[in-house]
mmCIF file of all heavy atoms in Angstrom:
data_model
loop_
_atom_site.group_PDB
_atom_site.id
_atom_site.type_symbol
_atom_site.label_atom_id
_atom_site.label_comp_id
_atom_site.label_asym_id
_atom_site.label_seq_id
_atom_site.Cartn_x
_atom_site.Cartn_y
_atom_site.Cartn_z
ATOM 1 N N MET M 194 15.048 29.775 -23.269
ATOM 2 C CA MET M 194 15.528 30.064 -21.899
ATOM 3 C C MET M 194 16.934 29.485 -21.710
ATOM 4 O O MET M 194 17.162 28.312 -21.965
ATOM 5 C CB MET M 194 14.557 29.401 -20.913
ATOM 6 C CG MET M 194 14.828 29.760 -19.480
ATOM 7 S SD MET M 194 14.206 31.403 -19.106
ATOM 8 C CE MET M 194 14.806 31.625 -17.458
ATOM 9 N N TYR M 196 19.803 28.430 -19.175
ATOM 10 C CA TYR M 196 20.030 28.099 -17.767
ATOM 11 C C TYR M 196 21.509 27.842 -17.534
ATOM 12 O O TYR M 196 22.260 27.510 -18.459
ATOM 13 C CB TYR M 196 19.259 26.822 -17.413
ATOM 14 C CG TYR M 196 17.745 26.951 -17.408
ATOM 15 C CD1 TYR M 196 16.986 26.289 -18.373
ATOM 16 C CD2 TYR M 196 17.094 27.695 -16.442
ATOM 17 C CE1 TYR M 196 15.590 26.372 -18.357
ATOM 18 C CE2 TYR M 196 15.712 27.787 -16.419
ATOM 19 C CZ TYR M 196 14.968 27.127 -17.378
ATOM 20 O OH TYR M 196 13.603 27.213 -17.357
ATOM 21 N N LEU M 199 21.065 23.583 -16.564
ATOM 22 C CA LEU M 199 19.945 22.822 -17.123
ATOM 23 C C LEU M 199 19.840 23.118 -18.614
ATOM 24 O O LEU M 199 20.111 24.242 -19.032
ATOM 25 C CB LEU M 199 18.675 23.312 -16.425
ATOM 26 C CG LEU M 199 17.437 22.461 -16.551
ATOM 27 C CD1 LEU M 199 17.372 21.558 -15.316
ATOM 28 C CD2 LEU M 199 16.199 23.328 -16.546
ATOM 29 N N ILE M 200 19.441 22.120 -19.373
ATOM 30 C CA ILE M 200 19.145 22.359 -20.800
ATOM 31 C C ILE M 200 17.680 22.022 -21.017
ATOM 32 O O ILE M 200 17.219 20.942 -20.611
ATOM 33 C CB ILE M 200 20.037 21.488 -21.709
ATOM 34 C CG1 ILE M 200 21.522 21.759 -21.434
ATOM 35 C CG2 ILE M 200 19.725 21.749 -23.189
ATOM 36 C CD1 ILE M 200 22.464 20.743 -22.065
ATOM 37 N N TYR M 201 16.960 22.941 -21.628
ATOM 38 C CA TYR M 201 15.535 22.735 -21.893
ATOM 39 C C TYR M 201 15.341 22.769 -23.400
ATOM 40 O O TYR M 201 15.602 23.765 -24.049
ATOM 41 C CB TYR M 201 14.719 23.850 -21.235
ATOM 42 C CG TYR M 201 13.222 23.650 -21.307
ATOM 43 C CD1 TYR M 201 12.526 23.048 -20.266
ATOM 44 C CD2 TYR M 201 12.485 24.070 -22.413
ATOM 45 C CE1 TYR M 201 11.146 22.861 -20.318
ATOM 46 C CE2 TYR M 201 11.107 23.888 -22.487
ATOM 47 C CZ TYR M 201 10.454 23.291 -21.436
ATOM 48 O OH TYR M 201 9.089 23.107 -21.498
ATOM 49 N N GLU M 202 14.891 21.649 -23.953
ATOM 50 C CA GLU M 202 14.679 21.582 -25.404
ATOM 51 C C GLU M 202 13.269 21.095 -25.677
ATOM 52 O O GLU M 202 12.722 20.313 -24.902
ATOM 53 C CB GLU M 202 15.647 20.574 -26.046
ATOM 54 C CG GLU M 202 17.101 20.931 -25.899
ATOM 55 C CD GLU M 202 17.995 19.706 -26.170
ATOM 56 O OE1 GLU M 202 18.122 18.862 -25.266
ATOM 57 O OE2 GLU M 202 18.526 19.619 -27.281
ATOM 58 N N LYS M 203 12.728 21.542 -26.801
ATOM 59 C CA LYS M 203 11.413 21.052 -27.203
ATOM 60 C C LYS M 203 11.545 20.274 -28.499
ATOM 61 O O LYS M 203 12.132 20.751 -29.456
ATOM 62 C CB LYS M 203 10.457 22.240 -27.405
ATOM 63 C CG LYS M 203 9.473 22.387 -26.270
ATOM 64 C CD LYS M 203 8.723 23.682 -26.272
ATOM 65 C CE LYS M 203 7.803 23.876 -27.452
ATOM 66 N NZ LYS M 203 6.926 25.062 -27.236
ATOM 67 N N HIS M 206 5.930 17.729 -29.394
ATOM 68 C CA HIS M 206 5.133 17.965 -28.191
ATOM 69 C C HIS M 206 5.849 17.518 -26.918
ATOM 70 O O HIS M 206 5.221 17.403 -25.862
ATOM 71 C CB HIS M 206 3.802 17.213 -28.298
ATOM 72 C CG HIS M 206 2.876 17.796 -29.322
ATOM 73 N ND1 HIS M 206 2.468 19.105 -29.290
ATOM 74 C CD2 HIS M 206 2.273 17.249 -30.409
ATOM 75 C CE1 HIS M 206 1.653 19.340 -30.306
ATOM 76 N NE2 HIS M 206 1.528 18.231 -31.012
ATOM 77 N N VAL M 207 7.135 17.225 -27.023
ATOM 78 C CA VAL M 207 7.869 16.694 -25.867
ATOM 79 C C VAL M 207 8.956 17.687 -25.419
ATOM 80 O O VAL M 207 9.721 18.188 -26.239
ATOM 81 C CB VAL M 207 8.520 15.328 -26.205
ATOM 82 C CG1 VAL M 207 9.250 14.766 -24.986
ATOM 83 C CG2 VAL M 207 7.464 14.338 -26.698
ATOM 84 N N ALA M 208 8.997 17.954 -24.114
ATOM 85 C CA ALA M 208 10.080 18.767 -23.550
ATOM 86 C C ALA M 208 11.150 17.813 -23.031
ATOM 87 O O ALA M 208 10.839 16.881 -22.280
ATOM 88 C CB ALA M 208 9.552 19.633 -22.409
ATOM 89 N N LEU M 209 12.391 18.049 -23.433
ATOM 90 C CA LEU M 209 13.511 17.246 -22.942
ATOM 91 C C LEU M 209 14.331 18.124 -21.998
ATOM 92 O O LEU M 209 14.910 19.133 -22.417
ATOM 93 C CB LEU M 209 14.365 16.746 -24.112
ATOM 94 C CG LEU M 209 15.633 15.967 -23.747
ATOM 95 C CD1 LEU M 209 15.309 14.713 -22.927
ATOM 96 C CD2 LEU M 209 16.410 15.571 -25.008
ATOM 97 N N ILE M 210 14.344 17.743 -20.737
ATOM 98 C CA ILE M 210 15.042 18.522 -19.701
ATOM 99 C C ILE M 210 16.291 17.742 -19.299
ATOM 100 O O ILE M 210 16.194 16.603 -18.834
ATOM 101 C CB ILE M 210 14.133 18.716 -18.465
ATOM 102 C CG1 ILE M 210 12.872 19.509 -18.855
ATOM 103 C CG2 ILE M 210 14.891 19.399 -17.337
ATOM 104 C CD1 ILE M 210 11.792 19.515 -17.764
ATOM 105 N N THR M 211 17.461 18.362 -19.488
ATOM 106 C CA THR M 211 18.712 17.686 -19.135
ATOM 107 C C THR M 211 19.366 18.405 -17.960
ATOM 108 O O THR M 211 19.700 19.589 -18.059
ATOM 109 C CB THR M 211 19.673 17.663 -20.340
ATOM 110 O OG1 THR M 211 18.997 17.082 -21.465
ATOM 111 C CG2 THR M 211 20.926 16.847 -20.047
ATOM 112 N N GLU M 228 16.239 26.122 -11.142
ATOM 113 C CA GLU M 228 16.081 26.039 -12.599
ATOM 114 C C GLU M 228 15.140 24.904 -12.994
ATOM 115 O O GLU M 228 14.334 25.048 -13.922
ATOM 116 C CB GLU M 228 17.460 25.889 -13.265
ATOM 117 C CG GLU M 228 18.291 27.151 -13.121
ATOM 118 C CD GLU M 228 19.631 27.107 -13.838
ATOM 119 O OE1 GLU M 228 20.089 26.018 -14.267
ATOM 120 O OE2 GLU M 228 20.242 28.186 -13.970
ATOM 121 N N LEU M 229 15.226 23.796 -12.277
ATOM 122 C CA LEU M 229 14.320 22.686 -12.580
ATOM 123 C C LEU M 229 12.874 23.091 -12.273
ATOM 124 O O LEU M 229 11.953 22.766 -13.034
ATOM 125 C CB LEU M 229 14.732 21.441 -11.779
ATOM 126 C CG LEU M 229 13.923 20.168 -12.035
ATOM 127 C CD1 LEU M 229 13.909 19.786 -13.512
ATOM 128 C CD2 LEU M 229 14.468 19.004 -11.200
ATOM 129 N N ALA M 230 12.688 23.824 -11.188
ATOM 130 C CA ALA M 230 11.332 24.300 -10.856
ATOM 131 C C ALA M 230 10.811 25.194 -11.974
ATOM 132 O O ALA M 230 9.636 25.101 -12.372
ATOM 133 C CB ALA M 230 11.357 25.053 -9.526
ATOM 134 N N ASP M 231 11.671 26.039 -12.513
ATOM 135 C CA ASP M 231 11.265 26.919 -13.613
ATOM 136 C C ASP M 231 10.902 26.096 -14.850
ATOM 137 O O ASP M 231 9.896 26.352 -15.515
ATOM 138 C CB ASP M 231 12.422 27.880 -13.929
ATOM 139 C CG ASP M 231 12.001 28.972 -14.877
ATOM 140 O OD1 ASP M 231 11.391 29.940 -14.388
ATOM 141 O OD2 ASP M 231 12.247 28.849 -16.097
ATOM 142 N N ALA M 232 11.723 25.084 -15.142
ATOM 143 C CA ALA M 232 11.467 24.227 -16.307
ATOM 144 C C ALA M 232 10.141 23.476 -16.155
ATOM 145 O O ALA M 232 9.378 23.326 -17.121
ATOM 146 C CB ALA M 232 12.623 23.246 -16.499
ATOM 147 N N VAL M 233 9.866 23.020 -14.936
ATOM 148 C CA VAL M 233 8.605 22.304 -14.686
ATOM 149 C C VAL M 233 7.418 23.242 -14.932
ATOM 150 O O VAL M 233 6.406 22.848 -15.523
ATOM 151 C CB VAL M 233 8.588 21.713 -13.251
ATOM 152 C CG1 VAL M 233 7.197 21.219 -12.864
ATOM 153 C CG2 VAL M 233 9.605 20.581 -13.134
ATOM 154 N N GLU M 234 7.559 24.503 -14.527
ATOM 155 C CA GLU M 234 6.470 25.460 -14.787
ATOM 156 C C GLU M 234 6.329 25.746 -16.279
ATOM 157 O O GLU M 234 5.229 25.992 -16.770
ATOM 158 C CB GLU M 234 6.693 26.759 -13.996
ATOM 159 C CG GLU M 234 6.539 26.606 -12.493
ATOM 160 C CD GLU M 234 5.300 25.816 -12.054
ATOM 161 O OE1 GLU M 234 4.215 25.996 -12.645
ATOM 162 O OE2 GLU M 234 5.429 24.995 -11.128
ATOM 163 N N MET M 235 7.448 25.712 -17.005
ATOM 164 C CA MET M 235 7.353 25.886 -18.471
ATOM 165 C C MET M 235 6.576 24.726 -19.079
ATOM 166 O O MET M 235 5.734 24.917 -19.965
ATOM 167 C CB MET M 235 8.747 25.942 -19.106
ATOM 168 C CG MET M 235 9.540 27.136 -18.649
ATOM 169 S SD MET M 235 10.364 28.010 -19.972
ATOM 170 C CE MET M 235 11.396 26.797 -20.659
ATOM 171 N N VAL M 236 6.856 23.530 -18.619
ATOM 172 C CA VAL M 236 6.118 22.350 -19.098
ATOM 173 C C VAL M 236 4.628 22.523 -18.790
ATOM 174 O O VAL M 236 3.761 22.310 -19.640
ATOM 175 C CB VAL M 236 6.650 21.052 -18.428
ATOM 176 C CG1 VAL M 236 5.734 19.870 -18.690
ATOM 177 C CG2 VAL M 236 8.070 20.752 -18.914
ATOM 178 N N ALA M 237 4.350 22.947 -17.553
ATOM 179 C CA ALA M 237 2.947 23.088 -17.129
ATOM 180 C C ALA M 237 2.218 24.130 -17.966
ATOM 181 O O ALA M 237 1.056 23.943 -18.336
ATOM 182 C CB ALA M 237 2.897 23.465 -15.647
ATOM 183 N N ALA M 238 2.916 25.228 -18.275
ATOM 184 C CA ALA M 238 2.236 26.372 -18.907
ATOM 185 C C ALA M 238 2.157 26.265 -20.427
ATOM 186 O O ALA M 238 1.296 26.899 -21.046
ATOM 187 C CB ALA M 238 2.970 27.657 -18.527
ATOM 188 N N ASP M 239 3.022 25.496 -21.044
ATOM 189 C CA ASP M 239 3.115 25.468 -22.510
ATOM 190 C C ASP M 239 2.097 24.470 -23.079
ATOM 191 O O ASP M 239 2.263 23.253 -22.948
ATOM 192 C CB ASP M 239 4.546 25.074 -22.912
ATOM 193 C CG ASP M 239 4.779 25.234 -24.410
ATOM 194 O OD1 ASP M 239 3.791 25.253 -25.180
ATOM 195 O OD2 ASP M 239 5.957 25.317 -24.801
ATOM 196 N N GLU M 240 1.078 24.988 -23.742
ATOM 197 C CA GLU M 240 0.020 24.116 -24.271
ATOM 198 C C GLU M 240 0.531 23.150 -25.332
ATOM 199 O O GLU M 240 -0.093 22.133 -25.629
ATOM 200 C CB GLU M 240 -1.104 24.965 -24.868
ATOM 201 C CG GLU M 240 -2.033 25.480 -23.803
ATOM 202 C CD GLU M 240 -3.281 26.123 -24.369
ATOM 203 O OE1 GLU M 240 -3.631 25.838 -25.532
ATOM 204 O OE2 GLU M 240 -3.871 26.920 -23.634
ATOM 205 N N ASP M 241 1.644 23.509 -25.914
ATOM 206 C CA ASP M 241 2.224 22.675 -26.949
ATOM 207 C C ASP M 241 2.959 21.457 -26.375
ATOM 208 O O ASP M 241 3.175 20.473 -27.077
ATOM 209 C CB ASP M 241 3.230 23.546 -27.709
ATOM 210 C CG ASP M 241 3.114 23.342 -29.188
ATOM 211 O OD1 ASP M 241 2.025 22.957 -29.648
ATOM 212 O OD2 ASP M 241 4.137 23.554 -29.872
ATOM 213 N N VAL M 242 3.373 21.561 -25.121
ATOM 214 C CA VAL M 242 4.116 20.464 -24.485
ATOM 215 C C VAL M 242 3.133 19.506 -23.826
ATOM 216 O O VAL M 242 2.322 19.909 -23.000
ATOM 217 C CB VAL M 242 5.126 20.995 -23.439
ATOM 218 C CG1 VAL M 242 5.729 19.862 -22.627
ATOM 219 C CG2 VAL M 242 6.227 21.792 -24.127
ATOM 220 N N ARG M 243 3.210 18.248 -24.191
ATOM 221 C CA ARG M 243 2.284 17.249 -23.653
ATOM 222 C C ARG M 243 2.962 16.265 -22.710
ATOM 223 O O ARG M 243 2.300 15.615 -21.910
ATOM 224 C CB ARG M 243 1.625 16.488 -24.810
ATOM 225 C CG ARG M 243 0.805 17.406 -25.711
ATOM 226 C CD ARG M 243 0.138 16.687 -26.853
ATOM 227 N NE ARG M 243 -0.632 17.611 -27.677
ATOM 228 C CZ ARG M 243 -1.383 17.239 -28.710
ATOM 229 N NH1 ARG M 243 -1.454 15.966 -29.058
ATOM 230 N NH2 ARG M 243 -2.048 18.145 -29.401
ATOM 231 N N VAL M 244 4.265 16.097 -22.845
ATOM 232 C CA VAL M 244 5.023 15.131 -22.033
ATOM 233 C C VAL M 244 6.412 15.726 -21.794
ATOM 234 O O VAL M 244 6.931 16.449 -22.653
ATOM 235 C CB VAL M 244 5.190 13.779 -22.783
ATOM 236 C CG1 VAL M 244 5.886 12.750 -21.904
ATOM 237 C CG2 VAL M 244 3.857 13.237 -23.269
ATOM 238 N N ALA M 245 7.005 15.421 -20.635
ATOM 239 C CA ALA M 245 8.386 15.850 -20.377
ATOM 240 C C ALA M 245 9.260 14.642 -20.081
ATOM 241 O O ALA M 245 8.813 13.677 -19.441
ATOM 242 C CB ALA M 245 8.428 16.820 -19.206
ATOM 243 N N VAL M 246 10.493 14.705 -20.575
ATOM 244 C CA VAL M 246 11.496 13.681 -20.265
ATOM 245 C C VAL M 246 12.601 14.381 -19.485
ATOM 246 O O VAL M 246 13.066 15.451 -19.889
ATOM 247 C CB VAL M 246 12.061 13.051 -21.566
ATOM 248 C CG1 VAL M 246 13.226 12.118 -21.253
ATOM 249 C CG2 VAL M 246 10.966 12.311 -22.334
ATOM 250 N N ILE M 247 13.006 13.801 -18.363
ATOM 251 C CA ILE M 247 14.129 14.356 -17.590
ATOM 252 C C ILE M 247 15.281 13.364 -17.632
ATOM 253 O O ILE M 247 15.091 12.160 -17.390
ATOM 254 C CB ILE M 247 13.744 14.624 -16.107
ATOM 255 C CG1 ILE M 247 12.523 15.548 -16.018
ATOM 256 C CG2 ILE M 247 14.918 15.234 -15.353
ATOM 257 C CD1 ILE M 247 12.093 15.857 -14.573
ATOM 258 N N LEU M 281 9.073 20.912 -5.055
ATOM 259 C CA LEU M 281 9.299 20.729 -6.491
ATOM 260 C C LEU M 281 8.827 19.345 -6.948
ATOM 261 O O LEU M 281 8.143 19.206 -7.972
ATOM 262 C CB LEU M 281 10.790 20.923 -6.793
ATOM 263 C CG LEU M 281 11.271 20.508 -8.177
ATOM 264 C CD1 LEU M 281 10.515 21.263 -9.284
ATOM 265 C CD2 LEU M 281 12.770 20.760 -8.315
ATOM 266 N N ARG M 284 5.175 19.082 -7.025
ATOM 267 C CA ARG M 284 4.640 19.836 -8.175
ATOM 268 C C ARG M 284 4.709 18.972 -9.447
ATOM 269 O O ARG M 284 3.779 18.971 -10.249
ATOM 270 C CB ARG M 284 5.449 21.128 -8.342
ATOM 271 C CG ARG M 284 5.028 21.969 -9.524
ATOM 272 C CD ARG M 284 3.700 22.667 -9.310
ATOM 273 N NE ARG M 284 3.349 23.440 -10.488
ATOM 274 C CZ ARG M 284 2.176 23.366 -11.125
ATOM 275 N NH1 ARG M 284 1.207 22.581 -10.683
ATOM 276 N NH2 ARG M 284 1.953 24.092 -12.189
ATOM 277 N N ILE M 285 5.807 18.233 -9.595
ATOM 278 C CA ILE M 285 5.937 17.339 -10.756
ATOM 279 C C ILE M 285 4.775 16.345 -10.762
ATOM 280 O O ILE M 285 4.186 16.055 -11.802
ATOM 281 C CB ILE M 285 7.308 16.612 -10.738
ATOM 282 C CG1 ILE M 285 8.418 17.618 -11.078
ATOM 283 C CG2 ILE M 285 7.328 15.419 -11.691
ATOM 284 C CD1 ILE M 285 9.831 17.077 -10.889
ATOM 285 N N LYS M 287 1.875 16.858 -9.512
ATOM 286 C CA LYS M 287 0.584 17.529 -9.676
ATOM 287 C C LYS M 287 0.372 18.110 -11.060
ATOM 288 O O LYS M 287 -0.782 18.354 -11.456
ATOM 289 C CB LYS M 287 0.417 18.602 -8.607
ATOM 290 C CG LYS M 287 0.162 17.977 -7.229
ATOM 291 C CD LYS M 287 -0.144 18.995 -6.164
ATOM 292 C CE LYS M 287 -0.449 18.277 -4.851
ATOM 293 N NZ LYS M 287 -0.687 19.173 -3.742
ATOM 294 N N VAL M 288 1.437 18.382 -11.796
ATOM 295 C CA VAL M 288 1.272 18.865 -13.174
ATOM 296 C C VAL M 288 0.564 17.769 -13.969
ATOM 297 O O VAL M 288 0.969 16.601 -13.915
ATOM 298 C CB VAL M 288 2.644 19.191 -13.812
ATOM 299 C CG1 VAL M 288 2.488 19.505 -15.302
ATOM 300 C CG2 VAL M 288 3.296 20.371 -13.096
ATOM 301 N N ARG M 289 -0.463 18.139 -14.694
ATOM 302 C CA ARG M 289 -1.269 17.123 -15.386
ATOM 303 C C ARG M 289 -0.663 16.745 -16.733
ATOM 304 O O ARG M 289 -1.338 16.755 -17.774
ATOM 305 C CB ARG M 289 -2.706 17.622 -15.542
ATOM 306 C CG ARG M 289 -3.435 17.646 -14.224
ATOM 307 C CD ARG M 289 -4.861 18.070 -14.401
ATOM 308 N NE ARG M 289 -5.506 18.158 -13.096
ATOM 309 C CZ ARG M 289 -6.747 18.544 -12.924
ATOM 310 N NH1 ARG M 289 -7.487 18.865 -13.967
ATOM 311 N NH2 ARG M 289 -7.262 18.616 -11.726
ATOM 312 N N LYS M 290 0.616 16.485 -16.716
ATOM 313 C CA LYS M 290 1.324 16.006 -17.901
ATOM 314 C C LYS M 290 2.333 14.973 -17.410
ATOM 315 O O LYS M 290 2.958 15.183 -16.356
ATOM 316 C CB LYS M 290 2.068 17.155 -18.595
ATOM 317 C CG LYS M 290 1.130 18.223 -19.133
ATOM 318 C CD LYS M 290 1.861 19.402 -19.754
ATOM 319 C CE LYS M 290 0.820 20.434 -20.185
ATOM 320 N NZ LYS M 290 1.404 21.621 -20.831
ATOM 321 N N PRO M 291 2.515 13.885 -18.150
ATOM 322 C CA PRO M 291 3.463 12.866 -17.686
ATOM 323 C C PRO M 291 4.922 13.324 -17.752
ATOM 324 O O PRO M 291 5.328 13.998 -18.710
ATOM 325 C CB PRO M 291 3.235 11.704 -18.664
ATOM 326 C CG PRO M 291 1.889 11.960 -19.254
ATOM 327 C CD PRO M 291 1.765 13.449 -19.319
ATOM 328 N N PHE M 292 5.664 12.937 -16.725
ATOM 329 C CA PHE M 292 7.115 13.129 -16.700
ATOM 330 C C PHE M 292 7.755 11.741 -16.744
ATOM 331 O O PHE M 292 7.392 10.865 -15.949
ATOM 332 C CB PHE M 292 7.556 13.854 -15.415
ATOM 333 C CG PHE M 292 7.298 15.334 -15.433
ATOM 334 C CD1 PHE M 292 6.015 15.844 -15.280
ATOM 335 C CD2 PHE M 292 8.350 16.229 -15.618
ATOM 336 C CE1 PHE M 292 5.776 17.222 -15.300
ATOM 337 C CE2 PHE M 292 8.126 17.608 -15.642
ATOM 338 C CZ PHE M 292 6.831 18.098 -15.479
ATOM 339 N N ILE M 293 8.712 11.581 -17.639
ATOM 340 C CA ILE M 293 9.449 10.323 -17.756
ATOM 341 C C ILE M 293 10.882 10.577 -17.317
ATOM 342 O O ILE M 293 11.537 11.490 -17.842
ATOM 343 C CB ILE M 293 9.431 9.804 -19.215
ATOM 344 C CG1 ILE M 293 7.994 9.568 -19.692
ATOM 345 C CG2 ILE M 293 10.272 8.526 -19.344
ATOM 346 C CD1 ILE M 293 7.889 9.217 -21.175
ATOM 347 N N ASP M 312 6.474 10.042 -13.425
ATOM 348 C CA ASP M 312 5.398 9.061 -13.619
ATOM 349 C C ASP M 312 5.927 7.715 -14.100
ATOM 350 O O ASP M 312 5.364 6.665 -13.788
ATOM 351 C CB ASP M 312 4.396 9.622 -14.632
ATOM 352 C CG ASP M 312 3.805 10.926 -14.120
ATOM 353 O OD1 ASP M 312 2.996 10.869 -13.191
ATOM 354 O OD2 ASP M 312 4.195 12.000 -14.631
ATOM 355 N N LYS M 403 -3.576 10.840 -14.977
ATOM 356 C CA LYS M 403 -2.490 11.014 -13.992
ATOM 357 C C LYS M 403 -3.045 11.560 -12.682
ATOM 358 O O LYS M 403 -2.751 11.036 -11.600
ATOM 359 C CB LYS M 403 -1.419 11.960 -14.561
ATOM 360 C CG LYS M 403 -0.372 12.390 -13.535
ATOM 361 C CD LYS M 403 0.781 13.183 -14.131
ATOM 362 C CE LYS M 403 1.660 13.773 -13.042
ATOM 363 N NZ LYS M 403 2.882 14.423 -13.547
ATOM 364 N N ASN M 451 -5.867 18.944 -27.916
ATOM 365 C CA ASN M 451 -5.658 19.412 -26.544
ATOM 366 C C ASN M 451 -6.737 20.413 -26.147
ATOM 367 O O ASN M 451 -6.474 21.412 -25.489
ATOM 368 C CB ASN M 451 -4.255 20.036 -26.395
ATOM 369 C CG ASN M 451 -3.795 20.109 -24.946
ATOM 370 O OD1 ASN M 451 -4.423 19.525 -24.061
ATOM 371 N ND2 ASN M 451 -2.722 20.827 -24.696
#
Side-chain angles (χ1 to χ4, degrees):
M194 187 78 186
Y196 292 112
L199 195 95
I200 302 168
Y201 187 94
E202 297 163 281
K203 255 168 65 170
H206 290 303
V207 182
L209 176 59
I210 298 169
T211 306
E228 292 184 347
L229 183 55
D231 190 81
V233 168
E234 291 314 319
M235 296 226 301
V236 169
D239 189 339
E240 279 190 21
D241 223 26
V242 171
R243 298 180 180 184
V244 184
V246 173
I247 304 180
L281 168 58
R284 178 73 181 129
I285 288 171
K287 288 186 177 177
V288 172
R289 289 183 183 178
K290 296 177 183 181
F292 283 74
I293 300 173
D312 300 287
K403 170 173 171 173
N451 199 11

